Amino acid sequence: MQVWMFIGIGVLVGAGAQAAKVDRTTGQKVTVYLLNDASVPSPLLSRARTLAAEMFAGVGVRIQWRAGQRAGSQLLQEGAIAVRLTLNTPDEFKTSVGAYTTPGKGVHITVLYQHLAWSLAKPGLAPALLAHVLVHEITHILEGIARHSEPGIMKANWTSDDYYEMQTKMLPFASEDVELIHRGLAQRRPRVGQAAIEQ
């Protein structure tokens, strides 16, 4: 089942829940390969990566960004995730879907940057919005299930208030998302080790 991140004015409204207390001393590492087929300007992309890494660091996850792409078998061996930024939008996503992934089945995320380009008119928003989309989709893969939260970063639809808030601070993780991320990471480790043995 694919999970889509809708960009636009949504109907879900709610105060952001504070993330649960987690052990942040270990900082579980996740490698993310990013392929910039959308030609997103380097300063904007660099800032978005930094913001996304900071958001995950706040819940005890260290993101290591790598440029380019890897074969699926290599991604599984490394326990890595692949993100592709593209301007090519499939027909089924011609509306306002900003990104999609298939949690539990794969490690690939596609960001349809054409649907985020409106944010370039607001320089303070553009890197923050891309960072939030990246975090949202990476979280789907780390959690390993198709779900959304009512508040914060994992909402199915962000509101105009959320976009405003993104320019000054990061949307929070709901406590259940923090728990699911760490549970998912614990389950990924044996699966990654098994993939390495089978190769």
Side-chain angles (χ1 to χ4, degrees), residues 22-43:
V22 295
D23 179 8
R24 296 178 185 156
T25 57
T26 55
Q28 297 185 71
K29 181 186 79 162
V30 176
T31 300
V32 179
Y33 289 93
L34 194 146
L35 183 61
N36 184 11
D37 282 346
S39 298
V40 176
S42 293

Side-chain angles (χ1 to χ4, degrees), residues 103-116:
K105 287 190 176 181
V107 290
H108 293 87
I109 295 166
T110 302
V111 177
L112 306 173
Y113 195 71
Q114 182 178 9
H115 292 166
L116 308 181

Side-chain angles (χ1 to χ4, degrees), residues 82-104:
V83 176
R84 180 175 171 245
L85 305 178
T86 182
L87 294 174
N88 298 325
T89 304
D91 287 340
E92 65 265 33
F93 299 128
K94 289 290 186 190
T95 56
S96 60
V97 171
Y100 62 91
T101 189
T102 308

Side-chain angles (χ1 to χ4, degrees), residues 22-23 28 59-61 177-186:
V22 295
D23 179 8
Q28 297 185 71
V59 295
V61 178
D177 285 306
V178 178
E179 292 171 18
L180 286 167
I181 286 169
H182 286 277
R183 189 178 307 158
L185 282 167

Side-chain angles (χ1 to χ4, degrees), residues 48-95:
R49 285 191 309 247
T50 298
L51 289 171
E54 288 173 2
M55 293 170 78
F56 275 117
V59 295
V61 178
R62 286 187 302 124
I63 299 294
Q64 289 193 330
W65 296 102
R66 299 282 183 264
Q69 59 185 350
R70 291 289 185 272
S73 60
Q74 289 176 304
L75 293 170
L76 287 174
Q77 279 183 327
E78 295 180 44
I81 294 170
V83 176
R84 180 175 171 245
L85 305 178
T86 182
L87 294 174
N88 298 325
T89 304
D91 287 340
E92 65 265 33
F93 299 128
K94 289 290 186 190
T95 56

